[in-house]
Amino acid sequence: GESVGLHLPTLSVQEGDNSIINCAYSNSASDYFIWYKQESGKGPQFIIDIRSNMDKRQGQRVTVLLNKTVKHLSLQIAATQPGDSAVYFCAENSGGSNYKLTFGKGTLLTVNP
Amino acid sequence: DVKVTQSSRYLVKRTGEKVFLECVQDMDHENMFWYRQDPGLGLRLIYFSYDVKMKEKGDIPEGYSVSREKKERFSLILESASTNQTSMYLCASLKGLNTGELFFGEGSRLTVL
């Protein structure tokens, strides 16, 4: 899993499997969370966001789960594809505004064919 | 296709040189950001601008300045480059301040010798 303050963790999965990327956030006052994907040589790309009044939010092949009790966020990717190989970052609005984000250090997801 | 364009993908400069990093967005967004990305440290906010000629310091503004003369263009300036400013610099734009959906450029990798 991922947490602010740790070196980049890695996750390796087989194509077609489901992936779960974890993130422990630090600020109990944070009420908005985002996942970004960064492919090699590119800038981060928004995947999905969730506000603290929700526990779960679904997108296309992705689901974000929020557990405020333990300050934990996860990104689930269904039927992982080679194109999903990237670094995934979680971010929280620990600065109090939705646009002042604190980013985690990322998790490297590798999808094996 | 919406776009944030960073004019230089790779730059090599010498210590003490003045460096300009340029960023242009075509989405008519009011808000623009400069981040630096370093291994083990994630993305850190240098400066952001919420309107033409308006700016606000981020978490690590020391050694940097910015310029926003036109809505679509946000420049990052290193007045006197130092080796510890060797990094990947990412520009981003944001439509409104009630969201964290940043649109990133592909990055400018700066090496200061």
Side-chain angles (χ1 to χ4, degrees), chain A residues 36 38 41 51 98 100 105, chain B residues 9 37 40 56 98 100 102:
Chain A
Y36 282 89
Q38 186 173 24
R51 300 191 185 273
N98 288 337
K100 284 189 178 178
K105 292 174 178 40
Chain B
R9 291 298 304 275
Q37 183 175 28
E56 189 170 314
N98 62 348
L102 294 161

Side-chain angles (χ1 to χ4, degrees), chain B residues 65-79:
Chain B
S65 62
V66 290
S67 173
R68 185 127 181 244
E69 296 295 318
K70 294 184 177 181
K71 189 175 186 179
E72 68 270 18
R73 186 180 297 271
F74 192 34
S75 302
L76 180 69
I77 303 156
L78 288 67
E79 292 289 341

